[in-house]
PDB file of all heavy atoms in Angstrom:
ATOM      1  N   LYS Z1027       7.312  33.955  -4.487  1.00 95.00           N
ATOM      2  CA  LYS Z1027       8.543  33.287  -4.084  1.00 95.00           C
ATOM      3  C   LYS Z1027       9.246  32.674  -5.292  1.00 95.00           C
ATOM      4  O   LYS Z1027      10.478  32.643  -5.357  1.00 95.00           O
ATOM      5  CB  LYS Z1027       8.240  32.203  -3.045  1.00 95.00           C
ATOM      6  CG  LYS Z1027       7.839  32.782  -1.689  1.00 95.00           C
ATOM      7  CD  LYS Z1027       7.530  31.682  -0.712  1.00 95.00           C
ATOM      8  CE  LYS Z1027       7.000  32.254   0.591  1.00 95.00           C
ATOM      9  NZ  LYS Z1027       6.558  31.197   1.503  1.00 95.00           N
ATOM     10  N   ARG Z1081       8.239  21.740   8.183  1.00 96.00           N
ATOM     11  CA  ARG Z1081       9.274  22.766   8.153  1.00 96.00           C
ATOM     12  C   ARG Z1081       9.287  23.474   9.495  1.00 96.00           C
ATOM     13  O   ARG Z1081       8.242  23.872  10.009  1.00 96.00           O
ATOM     14  CB  ARG Z1081       8.950  23.759   7.039  1.00 96.00           C
ATOM     15  CG  ARG Z1081      10.018  24.790   6.796  1.00 96.00           C
ATOM     16  CD  ARG Z1081       9.611  25.615   5.616  1.00 96.00           C
ATOM     17  NE  ARG Z1081       8.175  25.902   5.740  1.00 96.00           N
ATOM     18  CZ  ARG Z1081       7.658  27.113   5.568  1.00 96.00           C
ATOM     19  NH1 ARG Z1081       8.415  28.123   5.242  1.00 96.00           N
ATOM     20  NH2 ARG Z1081       6.368  27.298   5.702  1.00 96.00           N
ATOM     21  N   THR Z1135      18.456  15.208  19.775  1.00 95.00           N
ATOM     22  CA  THR Z1135      17.310  14.369  20.129  1.00 95.00           C
ATOM     23  C   THR Z1135      17.343  13.046  19.376  1.00 95.00           C
ATOM     24  O   THR Z1135      16.351  12.330  19.313  1.00 95.00           O
ATOM     25  CB  THR Z1135      15.988  15.104  19.836  1.00 95.00           C
ATOM     26  OG1 THR Z1135      16.025  15.556  18.475  1.00 95.00           O
ATOM     27  CG2 THR Z1135      15.794  16.290  20.754  1.00 95.00           C
ATOM     28  N   ARG Z1488     -11.339   0.976  -5.017  1.00 94.00           N
ATOM     29  CA  ARG Z1488     -10.756   2.257  -5.413  1.00 94.00           C
ATOM     30  C   ARG Z1488      -9.480   2.571  -4.631  1.00 94.00           C
ATOM     31  O   ARG Z1488      -8.723   3.455  -5.021  1.00 94.00           O
ATOM     32  CB  ARG Z1488     -11.756   3.380  -5.188  1.00 94.00           C
ATOM     33  CG  ARG Z1488     -12.919   3.279  -6.141  1.00 94.00           C
ATOM     34  CD  ARG Z1488     -14.040   4.079  -5.598  1.00 94.00           C
ATOM     35  NE  ARG Z1488     -15.059   4.296  -6.604  1.00 94.00           N
ATOM     36  CZ  ARG Z1488     -16.180   4.930  -6.361  1.00 94.00           C
ATOM     37  NH1 ARG Z1488     -16.407   5.415  -5.152  1.00 94.00           N
ATOM     38  NH2 ARG Z1488     -17.067   5.093  -7.292  1.00 94.00           N
TER      39      ARG Z1488
ATOM     40  P     A A  50       2.999  27.730   6.219  1.00 84.25           P
ATOM     41  OP1   A A  50       4.173  27.488   5.347  1.00 84.25           O
ATOM     42  OP2   A A  50       3.184  28.001   7.667  1.00 84.25           O
ATOM     43  O5'   A A  50       2.132  28.925   5.623  1.00 84.25           O
ATOM     44  C5'   A A  50       1.798  28.942   4.239  1.00 84.25           C
ATOM     45  C4'   A A  50       1.036  30.189   3.906  1.00 84.25           C
ATOM     46  O4'   A A  50      -0.215  30.207   4.647  1.00 84.25           O
ATOM     47  C3'   A A  50       1.721  31.489   4.313  1.00 84.25           C
ATOM     48  O3'   A A  50       2.672  31.885   3.353  1.00 84.25           O
ATOM     49  C2'   A A  50       0.544  32.449   4.416  1.00 84.25           C
ATOM     50  O2'   A A  50       0.145  32.881   3.131  1.00 84.25           O
ATOM     51  C1'   A A  50      -0.541  31.541   4.990  1.00 84.25           C
ATOM     52  N9    A A  50      -0.654  31.629   6.449  1.00 84.25           N
ATOM     53  C8    A A  50      -0.327  30.664   7.364  1.00 84.25           C
ATOM     54  N7    A A  50      -0.556  31.004   8.611  1.00 84.25           N
ATOM     55  C5    A A  50      -1.073  32.280   8.515  1.00 84.25           C
ATOM     56  C6    A A  50      -1.524  33.188   9.496  1.00 84.25           C
ATOM     57  N6    A A  50      -1.520  32.928  10.799  1.00 84.25           N
ATOM     58  N1    A A  50      -1.967  34.396   9.063  1.00 84.25           N
ATOM     59  C2    A A  50      -1.973  34.656   7.741  1.00 84.25           C
ATOM     60  N3    A A  50      -1.587  33.874   6.732  1.00 84.25           N
ATOM     61  C4    A A  50      -1.141  32.682   7.193  1.00 84.25           C
ATOM     62  P     C A  51       4.035  32.584   3.818  1.00 84.25           P
ATOM     63  OP1   C A  51       4.853  32.709   2.594  1.00 84.25           O
ATOM     64  OP2   C A  51       4.576  31.897   5.005  1.00 84.25           O
ATOM     65  O5'   C A  51       3.554  34.038   4.274  1.00 84.25           O
ATOM     66  C5'   C A  51       3.027  34.948   3.318  1.00 84.25           C
ATOM     67  C4'   C A  51       2.570  36.199   4.013  1.00 84.25           C
ATOM     68  O4'   C A  51       1.412  35.903   4.844  1.00 84.25           O
ATOM     69  C3'   C A  51       3.568  36.796   5.010  1.00 84.25           C
ATOM     70  O3'   C A  51       4.571  37.548   4.372  1.00 84.25           O
ATOM     71  C2'   C A  51       2.653  37.638   5.888  1.00 84.25           C
ATOM     72  O2'   C A  51       2.267  38.817   5.228  1.00 84.25           O
ATOM     73  C1'   C A  51       1.435  36.717   6.005  1.00 84.25           C
ATOM     74  N1    C A  51       1.501  35.844   7.190  1.00 84.25           N
ATOM     75  C2    C A  51       1.090  36.379   8.422  1.00 84.25           C
ATOM     76  O2    C A  51       0.707  37.559   8.464  1.00 84.25           O
ATOM     77  N3    C A  51       1.140  35.606   9.525  1.00 84.25           N
ATOM     78  C4    C A  51       1.570  34.337   9.434  1.00 84.25           C
ATOM     79  N4    C A  51       1.594  33.617  10.548  1.00 84.25           N
ATOM     80  C5    C A  51       2.004  33.780   8.197  1.00 84.25           C
ATOM     81  C6    C A  51       1.953  34.560   7.106  1.00 84.25           C
ATOM     82  P     U A  59       9.580  20.198  19.093  1.00 84.25           P
ATOM     83  OP1   U A  59       8.284  20.821  19.406  1.00 84.25           O
ATOM     84  OP2   U A  59      10.321  19.461  20.150  1.00 84.25           O
ATOM     85  O5'   U A  59       9.397  19.208  17.869  1.00 84.25           O
ATOM     86  C5'   U A  59       8.632  19.605  16.732  1.00 84.25           C
ATOM     87  C4'   U A  59       8.769  18.559  15.652  1.00 84.25           C
ATOM     88  O4'   U A  59      10.156  18.391  15.312  1.00 84.25           O
ATOM     89  C3'   U A  59       8.317  17.169  16.058  1.00 84.25           C
ATOM     90  O3'   U A  59       6.931  17.082  15.844  1.00 84.25           O
ATOM     91  C2'   U A  59       9.101  16.270  15.111  1.00 84.25           C
ATOM     92  O2'   U A  59       8.480  16.166  13.857  1.00 84.25           O
ATOM     93  C1'   U A  59      10.402  17.071  14.920  1.00 84.25           C
ATOM     94  N1    U A  59      11.519  16.540  15.712  1.00 84.25           N
ATOM     95  C2    U A  59      12.243  15.505  15.151  1.00 84.25           C
ATOM     96  O2    U A  59      11.987  15.023  14.057  1.00 84.25           O
ATOM     97  N3    U A  59      13.287  15.059  15.911  1.00 84.25           N
ATOM     98  C4    U A  59      13.665  15.528  17.153  1.00 84.25           C
ATOM     99  O4    U A  59      14.626  15.033  17.716  1.00 84.25           O
ATOM    100  C5    U A  59      12.854  16.605  17.661  1.00 84.25           C
ATOM    101  C6    U A  59      11.834  17.060  16.944  1.00 84.25           C
ATOM    102  P     U A  92     -17.929   7.979  -4.316  1.00 84.25           P
ATOM    103  OP1   U A  92     -16.702   7.214  -4.617  1.00 84.25           O
ATOM    104  OP2   U A  92     -19.134   7.800  -5.142  1.00 84.25           O
ATOM    105  O5'   U A  92     -18.341   7.719  -2.803  1.00 84.25           O
ATOM    106  C5'   U A  92     -17.396   7.879  -1.756  1.00 84.25           C
ATOM    107  C4'   U A  92     -18.048   7.606  -0.432  1.00 84.25           C
ATOM    108  O4'   U A  92     -19.048   8.633  -0.167  1.00 84.25           O
ATOM    109  C3'   U A  92     -18.848   6.310  -0.358  1.00 84.25           C
ATOM    110  O3'   U A  92     -18.017   5.185  -0.132  1.00 84.25           O
ATOM    111  C2'   U A  92     -19.795   6.594   0.798  1.00 84.25           C
ATOM    112  O2'   U A  92     -19.122   6.512   2.034  1.00 84.25           O
ATOM    113  C1'   U A  92     -20.138   8.062   0.534  1.00 84.25           C
ATOM    114  N1    U A  92     -21.356   8.225  -0.292  1.00 84.25           N
ATOM    115  C2    U A  92     -22.571   8.132   0.365  1.00 84.25           C
ATOM    116  O2    U A  92     -22.673   7.902   1.548  1.00 84.25           O
ATOM    117  N3    U A  92     -23.679   8.316  -0.439  1.00 84.25           N
ATOM    118  C4    U A  92     -23.690   8.578  -1.797  1.00 84.25           C
ATOM    119  O4    U A  92     -24.764   8.720  -2.379  1.00 84.25           O
ATOM    120  C5    U A  92     -22.390   8.655  -2.398  1.00 84.25           C
ATOM    121  C6    U A  92     -21.301   8.478  -1.641  1.00 84.25           C
TER     122        U A  92
END
Side-chain angles (χ1 to χ4, degrees):
Chain Z
K1027 289 179 186 174
R1081 186 176 42 133
T1135 53
R1488 292 161 166 177

